[in-house]
């Protein structure tokens, strides 16, 4: 709940920016207009605008006013849960994707990794680091651990395509 007059003004202006009453790149109303609207002093308006500046909602332009620089983040259509491979999600979103394996090795789980993953200590695994690219921009760094016995035959080349595809189509696994 706002504590002071400038807090109330800050929250009102912030809400107007977030709901695009004041759109991206638009100038806020002048200080005089805001003083009249909120029935307050110029200093109170300046404090509210200073808070918007500090939070990255606006930018002061010397001699011009205060411009809105806040933009709503686009909603990702990439699922963070569910069963969908990276290539499937990229295809659904009509973006180019590729994966680069930067590390692929067989190792045994140690105590620390066992605690982190639940894979019993001493179990042979594949450890894979992959960089995921969308439209040639590296966006995700994956660290993957696969129990070797369950994914026998997994290769670096397969990991650059789709591990899910390999597991489902080559090993006939059902992923749930």
């Amino acid at each position: 709940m706002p504590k002071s007059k400038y807090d109330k003004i800050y929250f009102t202006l912030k809400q107007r920016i977030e709901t695009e009453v004041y759109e991206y790149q638009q100038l806020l109303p002048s200080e005089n207009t805001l003083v009249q609207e909120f029935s307050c002093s110029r200093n109170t308006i300046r404090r509210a605008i200073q808070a918007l500046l500090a939070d990255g909602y606006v930018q002061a332009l010397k001699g011009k006013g205060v411009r809105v620089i806040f933009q709503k983040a686009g909603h990702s259509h990439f699922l963070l849960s569910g069963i969908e491979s990276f290539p499937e999600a990229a295809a659904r979103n009509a973006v180019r994707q590729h994966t680069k394996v930067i590390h692929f090795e067989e190792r045994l789980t140690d105590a620390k990794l066992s605690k982190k993953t639940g894979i019993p200590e001493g179990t042979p695994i594949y450890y894979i680091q992959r960089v995921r690219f969308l439209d040639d921009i590296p966006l995700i760094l994956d660290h993957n651990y696969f129990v070797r016995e369950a994914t026998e035959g997994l290769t670096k080349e397969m990991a650059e395509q789709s591990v899910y595809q390999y597991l489902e189509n080559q090993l006939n696994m059902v992923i749930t």
Side-chain angles (χ1 to χ4, degrees), residues 66-83:
V66 178
R67 176 175 57 191
V68 174
I69 59 171
F70 172 83
Q71 286 184 290
K72 280 187 177 181
H75 294 290
S76 172
H77 296 287
F78 280 82
L79 304 175
L80 298 177
S81 63
I83 305 299

Side-chain angles (χ1 to χ4, degrees), residues 83-136:
I83 305 299
E84 182 176 46
S85 70
F86 186 71
E88 290 167 340
R92 185 173 44 77
N93 285 281
V95 292
R96 288 179 297 113
Q97 68 81 29
H98 72 277
T99 299
K100 180 179 181 183
V101 173
I102 56 175
H103 189 82
F104 186 100
E105 75 171 296
E106 292 184 36
R107 64 161 76 155
L108 300 176
T109 54
D110 58 19
K112 184 178 175 184
L113 184 61
S114 178
K115 186 175 180 180
K116 184 177 178 180
T117 64
I119 300 170
E121 190 173 344
T123 302
I125 61 166
Y126 295 113
Y127 169 60
I128 308 168
Q129 286 181 5
R130 301 184 289 179
V131 178
R132 307 302 197 111
F133 294 79
L134 290 177
D135 289 334
D136 296 322

Side-chain angles (χ1 to χ4, degrees), residues 28-43:
L28 290 183
S30 69
E31 280 184 4
N32 287 335
T33 301
L34 294 173
V35 164
Q36 290 176 358
E37 177 184 349
F38 292 105
S39 302
C40 64
S41 71
R42 186 176 238 131
N43 191 45

Side-chain angles (χ1 to χ4, degrees), residues 9-17 22 34 38 49 52:
I9 295 166
Y10 163 84
F11 284 109
T12 300
L13 295 175
K14 179 180 168 190
Q15 189 250 347
R16 289 177 185 173
I17 291 168
Y22 302 138
L34 294 173
F38 292 105
I49 290 174
L52 290 169

Side-chain angles (χ1 to χ4, degrees), residues 146-160:
F146 295 99
V147 174
R148 194 173 71 206
E149 183 181 346
T151 58
E152 199 62 52
L154 184 62
T155 66
K156 179 180 177 181
E157 293 72 29
M158 292 170 185
E160 286 185 338

